[in-house]
Amino acid sequence: MQGVQTQHSSHYQLQRNNNTFQLQQVPSQQPALAADQVLIRVGAMSLNYRDLLILRNAGQDTVDGQIPLSDAAGTVIAIGSKVQRWQVGDRVAPNFFPQWQDGKYQTQHYSHGALGGANLAGVLAEHIVASEDAIVAIPAHLSLQEAAALPCAAVTAWHALFERGQLQAGETVLIQGTGGVALFALQLAAAQGAKVIITSSSDEKLARAKALGAWETINYRAQPNWDEVALALTGGMGVDHILELGGPETYARSINALASGGHIHQIGVLTGFGPTPNLWPLQFKNAHINGILVGSVAHFNALNAFLSQHQIRPVIDQEFAYAQASEAFDYLASAQHFGKIVINVQA
């Protein structure tokens, strides 16, 4: 192994508390690197809605003692004897699915584990170990705190709009809400020259979305028939791409607002898990539903190239110190955020 290992380290783990979990900070043992692995000193990590579901044991498969979170960025401080892609000092971020390097998604990518899930330790730690082919170089113009926002939300938005949707300039995109995936999708689509419609219940957040490049905004509290509003904004043609982040309470309206040949990118369940929507109208629109589950290392690299080309910076709502990890989760649960919530290990 090349490089210098850390002498002191800690991580957070999930500790069962009745039917849910709470965070517990514990010391970490010195990691032993395999020949193809790297040791990363974590600079920052970010939260996703998935992390809140895991903490609350919503899927009933959370493991007691598991290290949570999937998103982090840091600096390589040691490398295994056969590592060729990386050097000590490189700034990197791990991919959400360590096993999915390129090509089509396979069920084995999920069964082998996503970071911070039931089968694979996450990144809420001062140091993590990763295989050399499961990490990417982060854009030079981003800080570690900004880069930590990318692995789940930004890759998801990229996969949906650019890899599956093949987004073109001039097309219309409707995005539900102003969370992490939503704002990345807004920034990416606007940079591509698409016309973006944002929905939210907050006029303040809608104004901020407008400043980020949104073409039009809809307050769904004031205009609950937002699908009809979207149709009117597009001259009755409908929207080419819809990032479906809401779930059962929004799906029917998404289908109604969709253009012929359009794409619904199925991503979120913010309104919970509910009955299957009526998909019959999709047939008469020759439309698509694309199930999106984050993305591959190749997707992550393509995203980073686009971010560098357009000098796009993630929207960070608030940073918490490493010792405030529980407070960061509480803030995520409050749904007050606009953009990403970051835990800064260096603070």
Side-chain angles (χ1 to χ4, degrees), residues 32-39 78-86 99 129-135:
L33 292 186
D36 64 345
Q37 291 181 326
V38 301
L39 177 64
I79 62 175
S81 60
K82 295 184 179 180
V83 171
Q84 297 182 343
R85 301 183 186 183
W86 308 104
Q99 297 288 332
V129 171
S131 297
E132 68 167 330
D133 58 2
I135 57 178

Side-chain angles (χ1 to χ4, degrees), residues 174-178 197-201 206 217-220 226:
L174 186 144
I175 302 168
Q176 298 170 354
T178 55
I197 303 169
I198 293 285
T199 70
S200 173
S201 62
L206 290 174
T217 62
I218 304 172
N219 186 317
Y220 63 78
W226 54 264

Side-chain angles (χ1 to χ4, degrees), residues 94 109 131 156 200 220 303-304:
H109 297 138
S131 297
T156 297
S200 173
Y220 63 78
L303 161 73
N304 285 342

Side-chain angles (χ1 to χ4, degrees), residues 27 29 40 54 57 68 79 90 96 100 120 137 163 193 205 241 323:
Q29 294 183 348
I40 301 167
I54 289 173
N57 201 25
I79 62 175
D90 287 341
F96 183 89
W100 188 11
L120 203 60
E163 303 291 343
K205 290 182 177 180
H241 300 264

Side-chain angles (χ1 to χ4, degrees), residues 46-48 71 139 141-142 145-162 167 173 175-192 196 198 209 212 243 245 267 300 303-304 306-307 312-317 338-342:
S46 72
L47 300 183
N48 297 288
D71 291 18
H141 72 287
L142 298 183
Q145 290 70 37
E146 291 170 322
L150 301 177
C152 183
V155 174
T156 297
W158 174 267
H159 181 193
L161 292 175
F162 289 80
L167 179 67
V173 181
I175 302 168
Q176 298 170 354
T178 55
V181 175
L183 291 187
F184 276 121
L186 166 58
Q187 291 177 286
L188 295 171
Q192 183 73 347
V196 181
I198 293 285
L212 284 172
L243 261 71
L245 298 165
I267 296 170
F300 202 165
L303 161 73
N304 285 342
F306 189 87
L307 295 177
I312 296 172
R313 309 188 84 98
V315 178
I316 306 297
D317 179 278
F338 181 90
K340 294 292 290 182
I341 300 168
V342 169

Side-chain angles (χ1 to χ4, degrees), residues 9-20:
S9 188
S10 71
H11 66 267
Y12 280 88
Q13 64 185 26
L14 298 173
Q15 183 180 45
R16 183 171 292 280
N17 182 18
N18 295 322
N19 292 326
T20 61

Side-chain angles (χ1 to χ4, degrees), residues 14-332:
L14 298 173
Q15 183 180 45
R16 183 171 292 280
N17 182 18
N18 295 322
N19 292 326
T20 61
F21 289 83
Q22 62 186 18
L23 292 176
Q24 178 185 37
Q25 187 177 359
V26 298
S28 294
Q29 294 183 348
Q30 289 287 310
L33 292 186
D36 64 345
Q37 291 181 326
V38 301
L39 177 64
I40 301 167
R41 179 189 294 120
V42 177
M45 60 282 291
S46 72
L47 300 183
N48 297 288
Y49 186 66
R50 164 187 183 255
D51 302 315
L52 189 61
L53 294 178
I54 289 173
L55 186 70
R56 292 174 171 175
N57 201 25
Q60 302 299 312
D61 59 358
T62 303
V63 178
D64 197 22
Q66 181 64 293
I67 302 173
L69 303 193
S70 61
D71 291 18
T75 305
V76 174
I77 60 171
I79 62 175
S81 60
K82 295 184 179 180
V83 171
Q84 297 182 343
R85 301 183 186 183
W86 308 104
Q87 298 179 349
V88 172
D90 287 341
R91 302 191 316 148
V92 299
N95 196 54
F96 183 89
F97 288 112
Q99 297 288 332
W100 188 11
Q101 274 82 52
D102 201 355
K104 291 184 178 180
Y105 175 79
Q106 305 290 338
T107 54
Q108 67 201 43
H109 297 138
Y110 186 83
S111 62
H112 285 169
L115 293 177
N119 301 320
L120 203 60
V123 299
L124 188 48
E126 293 182 283
H127 298 85
I128 58 175
V129 171
S131 297
E132 68 167 330
D133 58 2
I135 57 178
V136 303
I138 62 178
H141 72 287
L142 298 183
S143 67
L144 291 178
Q145 290 70 37
E146 291 170 322
L150 301 177
C152 183
V155 174
T156 297
W158 174 267
H159 181 193
L161 292 175
F162 289 80
E163 303 291 343
R164 301 284 289 282
Q166 296 293 302
L167 179 67
Q168 302 297 312
E171 291 186 324
T172 50
V173 181
L174 186 144
I175 302 168
Q176 298 170 354
T178 55
V181 175
L183 291 187
F184 276 121
L186 166 58
Q187 291 177 286
L188 295 171
Q192 183 73 347
K195 301 162 71 174
V196 181
I197 303 169
I198 293 285
T199 70
S200 173
S201 62
S202 166
D203 286 336
E204 178 185 357
K205 290 182 177 180
L206 290 174
R208 295 176 70 181
K210 193 83 169 179
L212 284 172
W215 171 55
E216 296 286 354
T217 62
I218 304 172
N219 186 317
Y220 63 78
R221 288 274 173 81
Q223 297 175 297
N225 60 332
W226 54 264
D227 51 329
E228 298 294 339
V229 178
L231 284 169
L233 289 172
T234 56
M237 299 298 292
V239 179
D240 297 307
H241 300 264
I242 296 178
L243 261 71
E244 175 49 60
L245 298 165
E249 292 185 15
T250 58
Y251 223 106
R253 294 191 184 278
S254 290
I255 293 173
N256 187 46
L258 191 64
S260 296
H263 296 259
I264 291 178
H265 304 289
Q266 170 58 41
I267 296 170
V269 289
L270 294 178
T271 64
F273 302 88
T276 303
N278 178 19
L279 303 181
W280 185 250
L282 292 175
Q283 179 177 344
F284 297 94
K285 293 187 175 186
N286 280 307
H288 313 260
I289 294 180
N290 299 322
I292 304 296
L293 195 58
V294 198
S296 66
V297 172
H299 292 156
F300 202 165
N301 280 319
L303 161 73
N304 285 342
F306 189 87
L307 295 177
S308 297
Q309 176 187 354
H310 296 277
Q311 293 291 289
I312 296 172
R313 309 188 84 98
V315 178
I316 306 297
D317 179 278
Q318 190 166 330
E319 292 187 20
F320 290 82
Y322 184 64
Q324 298 175 308
S326 293
E327 288 90 331
F329 273 87
D330 291 341
Y331 183 60
L332 175 64

